Amino acid sequence: MTVPEQRSFIASIPPFDRLNASELDTVIAAVDIEYFKSGAKLISRGESPPHLYIVIKGIVEERAPDGSITLHETQDTFSALALLSGTCRGDFTVQEEALCYLLPKATFLHISKTNPNFVNFYYQSLSQRLNRLMEQREAKELASFMVAKIRDAYIHPPIFVEAQDSIYRAVEILKQNKATSVLVRNNTQTGIVTDTDIREHVVLQRKPVDTPVGEIASYQLLSMKQDDFLFNALLQMTRHTVKRLIIYDGEEIIGVLDQMDLLSYFSHHSHLVNVQIERATDIDRLKKAGRDIANVIQTLYGRGVKIHAITQLVTELNRKLFRKLYSLLIPPEVIANSCLIVMGSEGRGEQILKTDQDNALILRDGFAYSGLNNLLKQFTTALKELGYPLCPGEVMVSNPQWVKPLYDFREQIYDWLNTPQKPASLMNLAIFYDAVAVAGDSALLTAAKEYLFEHLGSTRVFFTHFAKPTLSFETPLGWFAQFIVDRKHHGGLDIKKGGIFPIVHGVRSLALEHKLTSTNTIERIQALQEMGIFDREFAEELIETFSFILSLRLENELQQLQRNELHSNYIQPDHLTKPERDLLRDSLKIVNRFKDFITYHFHLNMVT
């Protein structure tokens, strides 16, 4: 290896990627290279090693005092903590003949002392390393995207009129200030009048221009603080379909955040999808909005927006689309007497790219509508045309088993709760527990879930059966921390079965035990941590692990989409970067720790 190659090799390894040119020169000048045969003992427990080892090739086994084993391969470093503390806590043995760079202890400690970023790498927790990797994967030029505050965007200065002023006067003020809205003082209330309001009331409804402007003002205003995140403002506008937010500094109104100014900051066109959904008058127009959601996801992810934020926005758009489709196909009489619910990943707000339909309909007791089954079949077919595949398990409103009056749903819940030995009962209960209302009367779902919590009981046997599927799939990580891959899937591992499902279902089991009403996995983890079920560090590691695995799956799905390949949950570790492979390995260790937690908590080792 030439000196430039040597420099490039070491500079690409964390934390050497944090060194400046001068520090890197020092390292390159100091390192030596050495070959070790298989079986060679490099460091024994209790020793103080003279070097930091950087593996060029080969495999070195680290055996910890608790018996756990970690394998160090190409581009791994080891013995750093022993150099910093003075004592090695594990045994290091060459498993496969190895070639290593040896960085003298004095040089390592000198750089550690002068460069805090370098040494902090070795003290980082898993969650901190995951966060750093995510930051590195984000587009550098838009690193401020997620941390931008409302005050960073243009806020229109507040323009006030009095409620008794005429509409004509309000128009004059709008013209003078080249504004599109004015705020209206009306005793203790503050309202807003926009140019659209004036057109609606004066032009279309023929109201006199001398009418007090307070009579046409809207007073149910959404407001935020100037120090709130700009992305949250976007979520508020999307969720409530409004174009303006009133911005406060403390108790004082400092202006109006307009949708166009906010979107000019983000420029990812999610507003266009939102507008398309709102204005769609037929299914064909909804199809275009459905297709554009995928473009929004690609843009957001490419710009480094965190997975949790993307899912929040996409969830809002998906639910708007479901609601709009339901309103296009279903008569108002049915909408008023029913509740359309979505379940599965859509219910948990964790769906990014479109997955199988999981939905149901709760009808008001005593309500019936001739021809409803045919309308619901049309709804399912239309969702398929919009890109949402049919559910292989028939958990859809086209299946009469998932369309029932509230009374029958309660009977069904009672049956699920009392037959935990039936896998189908537990699966259906798990699906239903993640349900959220997207259209119609949400009180019907609230009533069904209240019935679930009232009859849930606290028998250990039930929860043991419910939590057991957490262990259904082996974690794809071997005893020596190597990935277990499937050659039939080109050396890939199933990230959904191996990483996502155990966390989702284990957390769901704990959430159900404690009757939590939230459906999102991260929100459930946060709630469980506040209840003391998880300590803070483990909760953070579990959240970061879950987010990291979701991001790997999304990136894999986006690549499949670009290649027009069928959807697959298999990812190839060989296609990941070295830091990504390391963090995937650490993340799967967290999954195993979580499985151990669930096994102990629900006594899963007591059932077969």
Side-chain angles (χ1 to χ4, degrees), residues 238-282:
T238 303
R239 181 173 296 136
H240 298 285
T241 318
V242 298
K243 295 180 179 178
R244 296 172 182 83
L245 294 174
I246 307 304
I247 306 303
Y248 279 83
D249 180 9
E251 300 299 320
E252 180 187 359
I253 294 176
I254 61 168
V256 177
L257 178 63
D258 189 279
Q259 185 186 51
M260 291 307 297
D261 296 305
L262 183 149
L263 294 171
S264 67
Y265 194 96
F266 285 118
S267 298
H268 59 71
H269 307 306
S270 66
H271 68 295
L272 295 178
V273 179
N274 194 31
V275 170
Q276 287 173 30
I277 294 172
E278 288 294 325
R279 296 181 179 176
T281 54
D282 54 44

Side-chain angles (χ1 to χ4, degrees), residues 478-508:
W479 177 252
F480 297 107
Q482 79 279 18
F483 295 116
I484 299 176
V485 297
D486 188 340
R487 291 184 179 179
K488 294 179 182 176
H489 290 87
H490 310 291
L493 56 85
D494 191 329
I495 196 65
K496 182 178 181 181
K497 290 181 178 177
I500 297 172
F501 178 79
I503 295 176
V504 167
H505 191 69
V507 170
R508 177 164 48 203

Side-chain angles (χ1 to χ4, degrees), residues 566-578:
L566 294 176
H567 173 266
S568 168
N569 290 311
Y570 281 85
I571 64 168
Q572 280 75 39
D574 288 347
H575 293 180
L576 303 177
T577 64
K578 175 70 170 55

Side-chain angles (χ1 to χ4, degrees), residues 411-474:
E411 290 285 301
Q412 184 67 76
I413 291 168
Y414 185 86
D415 183 59
W416 290 336
L417 290 173
N418 287 279
T419 55
Q421 68 281 10
K422 294 182 180 178
S425 294
L426 295 177
M427 182 182 72
N428 289 332
L429 182 62
I431 293 171
F432 179 78
Y433 179 46
D434 291 344
V436 298
V438 293
D441 186 357
S442 61
L444 293 169
L445 176 61
T446 301
K449 286 205 172 182
E450 286 175 350
Y451 181 88
L452 166 63
F453 293 146
E454 288 170 7
H455 292 76
L456 187 57
S458 58
T459 62
R460 179 58 59 186
V461 173
F462 169 81
F463 286 107
T464 299
H465 281 286
F466 188 84
K468 188 180 174 185
T470 304
L471 309 183
S472 294
F473 307 107
E474 292 290 335

Side-chain angles (χ1 to χ4, degrees), residues 74 137 201 204 224 229 333 425 445 465 481 541 558 563:
T74 301
R137 296 174 66 186
H201 290 277
L204 298 179
M224 298 185 75
F229 288 109
E333 180 184 356
S425 294
L445 176 61
H465 281 286
E541 289 185 338
L558 290 174
R563 298 193 294 262

Side-chain angles (χ1 to χ4, degrees), residues 534-553:
F534 299 136
D535 62 44
R536 181 177 178 179
E537 182 180 354
F538 187 62
E540 288 177 353
E541 289 185 338
L542 201 55
I543 289 171
E544 293 300 336
T545 292
F546 186 60
S547 298
F548 176 64
I549 292 175
L550 284 181
S551 73
L552 287 182
R553 185 178 71 163

Side-chain angles (χ1 to χ4, degrees), residues 3 8 99 129 197 211 238 244 250 322 347 430 502 524 588:
V3 171
S8 175
L99 195 63
R129 283 187 288 137
D197 295 326
T211 303
T238 303
R244 296 172 182 83
F322 291 169
R524 284 171 170 171
L588 293 177

